Amino acid sequence: MEVKLLSAKFDIKNSHKLKTAKKHGAYGTLDKIFAMKPEDVIEEVKKSGLRGRGGAGFPAGVKWGFLPKNTGKPVYLAVNSDESEPATFKDRYILVKDPHMLIEGIIICSYAIGSHDAYIYIRGEYTTQVKALQAAIDEAYAAGYLGEKVAEHDYRVDVTVHRGAGAYVCGEETALLESIEGKKGQPRSKPPFPAVAGLYGCPTIINNVQSIASLPWIIENGADAYKAYGTEKSPGTHLFGISGHVEKPGMYELPLGLPLLEVVEKVAGGVWKGRKLKGIIPGGSSTPVLLPEEAKSVTLDYESMAAHKTMFGSGGIVVLDETVDIVQLVKNLIDFYHHESCGQCTPCREGLGWMLKIIKKIVRGDGSIDDVKLLRELCDNIEMKTVCVLSAACTMPVRSYLDKFRHEFEAYVNKNASSAVQANQE
Amino acid sequence: MSDRSQLISTGKPFQYDQQRDAEFERLIKRYPTRESMILPALWLIQEQEGWISQEAIAYVADRIGTFASKVYEAVTFYTMYQLQPMGKNHICVCRTLSCWLRGKQEIVDYLKNEIGITPGKVSDDGRFSLEEVECLGHCGTAPVVQVNGEFYENMDVDKLKALLATLK
Amino acid sequence: MADKIKLFVNGVEVEVEAGKNLIDAIGAVGIEIPHLCYHPALGADGNCRMCLVGIEDGRPPLVPACKTPAQAGMKVLLNADHIKKIQHDVMEFELINHPIDCPICDQAGECKLQDYYMSYDQRESRMTVPPVAKNKKMDFGCGVVHDQERCVCCGRCVRFCRQITKTGELGIINRTDDARVNIFPGRPLNNRYALNVVDLCPVGAMTSKDFRFKQRVWFLKKDPGICHGCAKGCNIFIDHNRPKYQDDSIYRFRPRLNNQVNGYFICDEGRLSYTSENDGRLNDGRIGGQVRPLVDVLAAAGKEIERAAKTAILLSPNCSVEQMAGVKALAEKLGATLSGFSDGYIKAGDGDDFLILDDKSANRAGLALLGIDCSREFFEKAVQEAQLLINFNNKLQLSYSADDLKKLLKDTRIMAVTTHDDQMAAMADLAIPVASFSEYRGSVVNCDNILQSFAKAVTRNNDLAEIGAIAAQLGSPLQTEAERFADLGKYIGPLKNIEPDNIPAEGLNLNESEATNVKA
């Protein structure tokens, strides 16, 4: 089931070094790119149907097409390497194992959108990864792939790595821009959209690392070849991360559209220790949970996920076995989102703190059924009333746990602690 | 998150060492605004000193030419910036979702109960400090622990014991 | 005037100004959209979420009104059930961590949370867990006291210091519900407009040390006035009250919006100058330093004037133009020289490029319009040649040192018609107390040639006559207020055919032509 488009070089020794990367085709698309017109590059990417791999799934080529022409302002490219969504651990492989693929993708995108300055926003915790990335960038500059004349073509591309410092919210595109500008990562209201007024008020394209890193393969092999993988509306491949209670957790590149349960079984070895499946989080902690019955008909693409009232997200699959205490799990999630709230707008800032206190009260054994109902109501009261979707990233999954596992919450408040499941939690 | 307002004053003015000074000058050229240097400048301080003092924040604000309140905002917003001296080996244990599912609590409990390190405090011999952090992006090899920038994956108490023994 | 467009609010068609955001556009036709973080002088921030309104058939269907420009045909939903629920919910989030400080909070009575709770919420609290505790009663400098628990993180104070004064002392630190306003240690508020954050703050998070615990705002009468601290003529509210068995006194000045003059703000010095309306006043008539009934003082004054072969009259640059007219008529009647010499009121270099001016007098332009000589030579010559100097409230001690003043006036009889028991009153042979600017009706002309009128605000128990009335008692042919105002037409063209009540609220711009200004 696994394929190797993006991960083609991951298992090659020293794949991160320029010499090895070049032997296996790195920077091979540059001459082709610079012979094309920028609009044609955008068209090719549009044709490929590549959807943003950060979680939103917006078609990349379409996003590039939103850039206004002839504003007189510089165009910027921001590469989102914040990767902080729990259960997501794919982009760092690119940074460590094939950074030159990313750099090549940056050059392709920069040329297509008319940008000369790219900023890679990398989360602060990725210390080893940022070293590997910077080393590759230095190699690229030395070899003339970055700088005033990319590969001797009359086009400048400069890349600067900007480190974050511990804020999940900076994965949100406008918060990321704020952070590059030196401010707190507090998202901006949209409109205006970054394509119109982004970094330093200039037209800006922001794409996830994996999206950008997908570009060399698409240009090399063509949009049609890319569409041969995946489904019609969700073409291509994705670096799926499978974690939690499975035998073989890890990162696996797969075409989109495969059945979820089959992937868990055949690729990740199924639920560990011979236990039974309790639920699956399909695309990162922000996605509503799927019950085993529901998961049976789910395929790993945007449309199937939406039809099952959840989301493809970042493709971070988490498997929950029968021992998981859902109430404790929800506390763990709310704790995360509350900790990461930027504090800008009222419903998220105050509401998530309130939700955390309520769930802690329930876990302590002091909760009532009214607390459970209030927690459920707060999901509705907060969601979509905020500047950004961090609040929804909390309320959407929490709502799904409250709805699908209500009996576990009721067990806590009925003080039937023995009927609440024992698990390896605090 | 808890309140990070309290800054520690060293009583001495802060200065970059030669290496960081040069790096500051190199980096500032890569941004169209000086304020973009706020996060990189704070990282340089932390690399040099291990933590960020009140004087260091004022220094950065004045050198960049921005309001001290803006740097104060950034240094308290981004939780990786340490506002107090940490142990020589700062142990970060991921506490979110997949690491939680696969046993991070045993690791935290061991550090608390056996080694006596609690979050936010430095061990008596100054060797260790502990912080429970959010998802570190190594969910496939959970539980993960990060010490001095290095990732230690598939951790359990035994592996942790071995690791601590190697840390001076 | 801007273009008008038609849109719908709750299904009813209204006409609003194009190009404005929905809060301002719809607010101008009398429909309130509640909001905390938006302020016209600071722009929209979009963080409070109180102004969320529905747009029928809109994409998106829920928008913050502060960031949404009014467009023709827009169908705005305010009264819809789902919008009302959102207003409830946002209020609930604002209140869960808000301390119940109302009984001890200065903001009570003019607090947006109180007002919006009564208008848009009125539900009981569902908070059964401890609220977030933060720091209270923090000294931020410049007389600003901050309470972090009351704060709703609207950011107005931060934006004020960054956008308006450009001094940037304030910031909102931390994230999550630990977010709070603070100053950087050792760098407190340090600008001449800092107290404006007290007005900007929609709740009691920013309060004034000067006003702390002094008065409940619902007891205050809030009368419009004009600050007399400098020639800018900022518009103010004079907030005053007469507590039982006491006197009508002023508790504070607050800025009043005037887009032509000061916008939304005033400087701290002007704000705190209310104390000089209350304190150090001359309340009694005096002859030779002894308190005497006013009727006796006025009789003595009449005799002084008759006795003096030549009289010199000095006007304060703070007098209203009506008072100046009355005194000028008096001078003409008596054949007296009239001067407005007041160089000492000008503090060179003190002004800035915002609201503060070097000239600390309110109506120097009025002296110029009435053709009153303000030169030192003219004044000193007039004093030398006269036996009597009638000083209408001019603080000569600002223009001369104590010794020089004594020397200048050593051979002159001095009649001080003054508001304050100061050096001039002490030096005077006769002292007549008069009303200060908050206690009379009049007009002043500011540095930009804008004439602004103000009404009487404060009525003391000892309600003193104002300078125009005293001039009349001393013999000025302009005996009434109406006569004094009508006389102004001689000197100020635009006032020729205008009633005093018809002077525009934002002031009469004397630079523009009569045709555009005058309302018949």
Side-chain angles (χ1 to χ4, degrees):
Chain A
M1 290 174 114
E2 289 176 67
V3 292
K4 292 217 171 280
L5 269 67
L6 247 62
S7 56
K9 302 195 205 77
F10 283 8
D11 295 328
I12 301 171
K13 195 166 158 205
N14 289 326
S15 57
H16 56 288
K17 291 216 182 291
L18 180 56
K19 206 161 111 188
T20 314
K22 275 199 71 180
K23 243 195 285 191
H24 293 272
Y27 300 109
T29 62
L30 293 188
D31 286 340
K32 186 173 178 185
I33 284 297
F34 285 108
M36 291 166 76
K37 287 205 224 107
E39 314 83 89
D40 294 335
V41 178
I42 298 180
E43 264 318 297
E44 189 72 3
V45 174
K46 262 196 204 157
K47 235 175 80 184
S48 75
L50 172 70
R51 294 172 73 153
R53 298 298 193 216
F58 193 86
V62 175
K63 191 195 277 192
W64 299 1
F66 288 154
L67 282 169
K69 312 254 182 298
N70 304 323
T71 60
K73 295 187 191 165
V75 177
Y76 289 106
L77 171 61
V79 180
N80 189 338
S81 181
D82 194 55
E83 184 155 88
S84 303
E85 168 87 359
T88 314
F89 54 102
K90 56 181 178 70
D91 294 335
R92 63 178 170 85
Y93 286 90
I94 299 172
L95 301 173
V96 170
K97 294 194 183 282
D98 202 349
H100 288 287
M101 178 174 64
L102 173 63
I103 297 171
E104 190 177 354
I106 289 176
I107 297 169
I108 294 169
C109 180
S110 298
Y111 177 69
I113 65 175
S115 163
H116 298 282
D117 292 283
Y119 293 90
I120 305 177
Y121 188 93
I122 183 170
R123 61 178 296 188
E125 295 85 346
Y126 275 3
T127 42
T128 46
Q129 292 81 356
V130 79
K131 287 204 192 95
L133 178 62
Q134 189 62 53
I137 291 174
D138 293 341
E139 279 188 306
Y141 267 104
Y145 290 116
L146 289 173
E148 284 299 319
K149 283 181 179 312
V150 172
E152 289 168 23
H153 295 277
D154 196 10
Y155 197 85
R156 175 179 74 85
V157 175
D158 276 311
V159 175
T160 305
V161 174
H162 188 93
R163 283 183 74 200
Y168 161 74
V169 70
C170 287
E172 201 278 344
E173 58 175 8
T174 57
L176 188 149
L177 299 179
E178 291 283 289
S179 190
I180 295 177
E181 293 180 10
K183 303 178 225 165
K184 297 182 286 180
Q186 294 190 324
R188 304 172 182 169
S189 301
K190 297 186 274 204
F193 289 86
V196 172
L199 198 53
Y200 310 115
C202 300
T204 306
I205 288 297
I206 302 155
N207 275 122
N208 171 263
V209 163
Q210 189 189 330
S211 313
I212 299 291
S214 306
L215 296 174
W217 196 96
I218 293 173
I219 297 297
E220 176 75 40
N221 299 283
D224 290 331
Y226 193 71
K227 284 208 292 225
Y229 295 87
T231 70
E232 193 199 324
K233 292 214 187 110
S234 301
T237 67
H238 188 70
L239 301 177
F240 289 94
I242 309 182
S243 62
H245 294 157
V246 285
E247 287 294 338
K248 294 193 292 179
M251 191 279 291
Y252 303 100
E253 184 175 8
L254 303 164
L256 278 80
L258 294 173
L260 170 60
L261 286 180
E262 202 181 313
V263 166
V264 170
E265 202 57 44
K266 298 214 178 110
V267 176
V271 183
W272 70 347
K273 302 184 179 172
R275 294 192 188 152
K276 288 220 298 284
L277 180 67
K278 185 166 193 180
I280 297 187
I281 301 172
S285 61
S286 309
T287 55
V289 69
L290 289 164
L291 294 169
E293 257 318 294
E294 299 173 307
K296 277 191 190 146
S297 51
V298 173
T299 51
L300 288 166
D301 55 77
Y302 296 92
E303 287 64 44
S304 177
M305 293 289 179
H308 287 82
K309 304 228 185 321
T310 182
M311 293 174 333
F312 181 85
S314 59
I317 301 166
V318 183
V319 174
L320 309 170
D321 74 20
E322 62 200 278
T323 66
V324 172
D325 182 333
I326 293 294
V327 181
Q328 298 269 16
L329 172 64
V330 168
K331 171 165 159 266
N332 186 278
L333 289 178
I334 298 178
D335 207 346
F336 169 77
Y337 289 104
H338 165 257
H339 187 222
E340 299 295 339
S341 165
C342 78
Q344 185 181 202
C345 66
T346 308
C348 178
R349 178 184 67 243
E350 311 290 346
L352 259 48
W354 194 10
M355 284 176 74
L356 180 61
K357 287 176 183 161
I358 295 171
I359 189 74
K360 279 186 174 171
K361 189 180 173 206
I362 293 171
V363 164
R364 255 195 335 259
D366 296 334
S368 69
I369 194 64
D370 284 333
D371 287 319
V372 178
K373 288 189 191 153
L374 179 58
L375 199 60
R376 179 62 181 78
E377 187 193 328
L378 288 179
C379 291
D380 294 337
N381 292 355
I382 296 171
E383 199 172 294
M384 296 312 173
K385 319 293 189 300
T386 50
V387 177
C388 83
V389 293
L390 187 145
S391 59
C394 177
T395 56
M396 285 174 69
V398 169
R399 179 190 291 112
S400 71
Y401 294 106
L402 281 165
D403 288 347
K404 298 182 185 179
F405 295 96
R406 178 63 67 107
H407 51 283
E408 291 204 27
F409 291 87
E410 284 168 0
Y412 261 89
V413 305
N414 291 339
K415 300 221 182 354
N416 259 343
S418 57
S419 73
V421 180
Q422 284 289 4
N424 56 334
Q425 291 88 15
E426 55 200 316
Chain B
M1 163 195 207
S2 83
D3 178 24
R4 286 160 60 87
S5 336
Q6 204 55 40
L7 300 174
I8 297 178
S9 168
T10 59
K12 296 190 311 254
F14 174 84
Q15 186 86 286
Y16 278 135
D17 59 29
Q18 208 171 13
Q19 182 193 339
R20 269 88 201 185
D21 191 273
E23 183 64 3
F24 181 96
E25 290 304 322
R26 183 189 79 83
L27 279 171
I28 199 167
K29 293 196 186 80
R30 304 194 70 86
Y31 299 94
T33 70
R34 291 181 72 88
E35 277 171 4
S36 294
M37 276 302 291
I38 290 178
L39 268 73
L42 289 170
W43 275 122
L44 288 174
I45 300 173
Q46 187 147 311
E47 280 163 31
Q48 182 178 310
E49 303 290 330
W51 64 288
I52 300 176
S53 66
Q54 181 180 318
E55 285 80 6
I57 296 170
Y59 172 81
V60 157
D62 294 339
R63 180 157 181 177
I64 289 176
T66 186
F67 301 124
S69 67
K70 277 202 171 158
V71 186
Y72 192 22
E73 285 184 335
V75 85
T76 52
F77 181 90
Y78 296 100
T79 50
M80 280 193 79
Y81 293 128
Q82 301 297 345
L83 297 175
Q84 60 194 61
M86 288 287 118
K88 282 201 19 224
N89 303 288
H90 186 56
I91 304 170
C92 298
V93 180
C94 174
R95 68 173 193 165
T96 322
L97 196 51
S98 299
C99 288
W100 174 77
L101 286 171
R102 286 183 78 109
K104 68 98 182 167
Q105 194 55 44
E106 280 163 18
I107 296 170
V108 174
D109 289 342
Y110 175 78
L111 288 165
K112 279 190 201 167
N113 301 331
E114 303 299 319
I115 311 292
I117 320 167
T118 47
K121 295 235 171 359
V122 182
S123 66
D124 290 331
D125 56 9
R127 275 170 76 204
F128 301 118
S129 48
L130 169 64
E131 192 179 347
E132 282 196 72
V133 295
E134 305 294 353
C135 177
L136 285 172
H138 285 66
C139 322
T141 48
V144 69
V145 169
Q146 188 176 24
V147 188
N148 300 333
E150 289 295 321
F151 290 97
Y152 299 92
E153 303 169 89
N154 295 309
M155 286 301 276
D156 53 36
V157 174
D158 291 324
K159 289 212 191 107
L160 181 67
K161 278 191 201 154
L163 171 62
L164 293 179
T166 69
L167 299 170
K168 305 240 182 317
Chain C
M1 288 295 281
D3 295 330
K4 297 270 198 198
I5 52 168
K6 286 197 170 71
L7 48 79
F8 298 90
V9 181
N10 301 322
V12 176
E13 197 179 47
V14 293
E15 202 179 43
V16 301
E17 264 185 61
K20 291 197 163 181
N21 66 60
L22 285 176
I23 294 183
D24 285 341
I26 295 178
V29 295
I31 303 172
E32 181 193 48
I33 299 180
H35 58 279
L36 294 168
C37 64
Y38 170 68
H39 190 281
L42 305 172
D45 209 38
N47 64 63
C48 72
R49 311 317 275 175
M50 202 59 210
C51 75
L52 288 173
V53 296
I55 306 287
E56 216 177 309
D57 309 324
R59 277 228 237 121
L62 189 67
V63 294
C66 62
K67 290 206 174 240
T68 308
Q71 282 170 354
M74 222 175 204
K75 296 193 212 141
V76 180
L77 296 171
L78 263 183
N79 282 350
D81 283 340
H82 70 285
I83 299 299
K84 285 210 187 120
K85 173 152 192 352
I86 292 173
Q87 288 170 344
H88 280 163
D89 296 337
V90 173
M91 280 304 296
E92 183 168 43
F93 291 127
E94 294 285 15
L95 290 170
I96 52 171
N97 290 314
H98 193 81
I100 309 178
D101 278 359
C102 298
I104 56 163
C105 176
D106 286 333
Q107 197 84 3
E110 52 187 19
C111 170
K112 281 282 178 256
L113 282 187
Q114 285 185 338
D115 294 345
Y116 290 157
Y117 178 80
M118 295 310 292
S119 301
Y120 302 101
D121 193 359
Q122 292 212 29
R123 297 181 310 173
E124 299 220 351
S125 168
R126 301 191 286 178
M127 185 69 165
T128 58
V129 288
V132 179
K134 298 177 185 169
N135 298 309
K136 301 173 82 71
K137 213 168 84 173
M138 302 173 80
D139 185 354
F140 273 2
C142 289
V144 175
V145 180
H146 181 60
D147 187 308
Q148 289 178 336
E149 286 183 351
R150 299 176 188 171
C151 176
V152 292
C153 293
C154 70
R156 282 182 176 185
C157 57
V158 175
R159 282 142 61 208
F160 175 79
C161 291
R162 289 188 184 168
Q163 292 166 214
I164 307 293
T165 62
K166 302 196 172 45
T167 46
E169 299 98 326
L170 300 175
I172 297 182
I173 60 168
N174 287 336
R175 57 179 201 235
T176 83
D177 48 6
D178 276 309
R180 55 196 70 192
V181 174
N182 212 337
I183 46 170
F184 184 75
R187 299 193 185 189
L189 280 169
N190 186 15
N191 66 75
R192 296 167 82 179
Y193 300 89
L195 283 166
N196 283 293
V197 301
V198 174
D199 304 320
L200 284 171
C201 181
V203 299
M206 293 292 190
T207 53
S208 160
K209 208 190 266 190
D210 177 78
F211 185 66
R212 191 174 175 81
F213 298 155
K214 283 203 180 140
Q215 184 64 266
R216 277 313 196 183
V217 305
W218 49 84
F219 291 133
L220 293 173
K221 279 175 220 51
K222 295 151 192 174
D223 285 315
I226 305 288
C227 174
H228 278 54
C230 78
K232 192 71 182 177
C234 294
N235 286 209
I236 54 175
F237 280 112
I238 300 172
D239 290 353
H240 63 107
N241 183 34
R242 176 186 281 113
K244 221 169 181 186
Y245 309 131
Q246 292 173 51
D247 203 355
D248 193 356
S249 59
I250 302 175
Y251 287 82
R252 61 179 187 185
F253 284 165
R254 284 176 303 127
R256 184 163 56 93
L257 169 62
N258 185 326
N259 285 313
Q260 256 202 125
V261 180
N262 58 305
Y264 288 88
F265 309 116
I266 54 175
C267 73
D268 288 359
E269 243 177 80
R271 177 188 295 267
L272 295 173
S273 67
Y274 76 90
T275 53
S276 65
E277 287 296 280
N278 292 338
D279 305 332
R281 297 292 298 276
L282 181 70
N283 290 308
D284 310 294
R286 298 199 194 142
I287 300 179
Q290 301 294 314
V291 175
R292 288 278 185 277
L294 192 57
V295 61
D296 293 348
V297 182
L298 286 167
K303 294 216 181 79
E304 286 276 354
I305 292 171
E306 274 170 49
R307 257 208 305 272
K310 190 99 170 100
T311 302
I313 299 184
L314 179 62
L315 264 174
S316 163
N318 279 322
C319 290
S320 66
V321 285
E322 292 88 343
Q323 291 168 345
M324 290 178 184
V327 169
K328 180 161 177 157
L330 174 67
E332 278 161 12
K333 171 111 179 281
L334 300 179
T337 42
L338 179 58
S339 162
F341 172 64
S342 47
D343 281 0
Y345 280 75
I346 300 176
K347 281 197 200 160
D350 187 65
D352 62 19
D353 56 4
F354 188 29
L355 297 176
I356 300 176
L357 297 171
D358 287 357
D359 185 358
K360 305 302 178 191
S361 66
N363 197 14
R364 185 175 302 276
L367 290 169
L369 282 166
L370 268 67
I372 297 169
D373 191 302
C374 291
S375 69
R376 181 192 288 268
E377 308 79 54
F378 181 85
F379 170 63
E380 289 180 356
K381 182 156 178 282
V383 165
Q384 273 167 8
E385 291 172 354
Q387 288 76 43
L388 169 66
L389 170 67
I390 309 179
N391 181 354
F392 286 96
N393 212 23
N394 184 315
K395 287 193 185 12
L396 271 177
Q397 62 268 38
L398 294 174
S399 306
Y400 292 95
S401 69
D403 286 335
D404 285 347
L405 198 53
K406 273 211 199 89
K407 247 191 282 177
L408 178 74
L409 298 173
K410 69 171 170 23
D411 296 322
T412 323
R413 297 284 294 170
I414 305 170
M415 188 188 312
V417 183
T418 177
T419 53
H420 285 76
D421 189 1
D422 62 3
Q423 224 175 313
M424 287 314 307
M427 288 177 71
D429 300 295
L430 291 177
I432 300 171
V434 281
S436 190
F437 68 87
S438 59
E439 299 149 11
Y440 58 74
R441 179 192 170 117
S443 315
V444 291
V445 181
N446 83 348
C447 57
D448 298 316
N449 232 5
I450 296 174
L451 182 140
Q452 305 190 90
S453 290
F454 50 94
K456 180 182 170 75
V458 175
T459 305
R460 297 169 168 276
N461 295 337
N462 180 15
D463 191 24
L464 299 165
E466 51 94 16
I467 283 174
I470 297 296
Q473 296 218 23
L474 295 176
S476 171
L478 299 174
Q479 285 287 303
T480 65
E481 269 190 32
E483 284 173 37
R484 287 191 282 279
F485 183 82
D487 195 55
L488 289 173
K490 286 205 314 257
Y491 310 102
I492 304 173
L495 288 183
K496 257 196 275 237
N497 295 313
I498 197 172
E499 291 298 305
D501 290 331
N502 290 341
I503 294 179
E506 288 216 331
L508 194 61
N509 193 327
L510 301 177
N511 300 316
E512 291 165 13
S513 74
E514 287 185 21
T516 51
N517 266 340
V518 172
K519 287 184 192 155

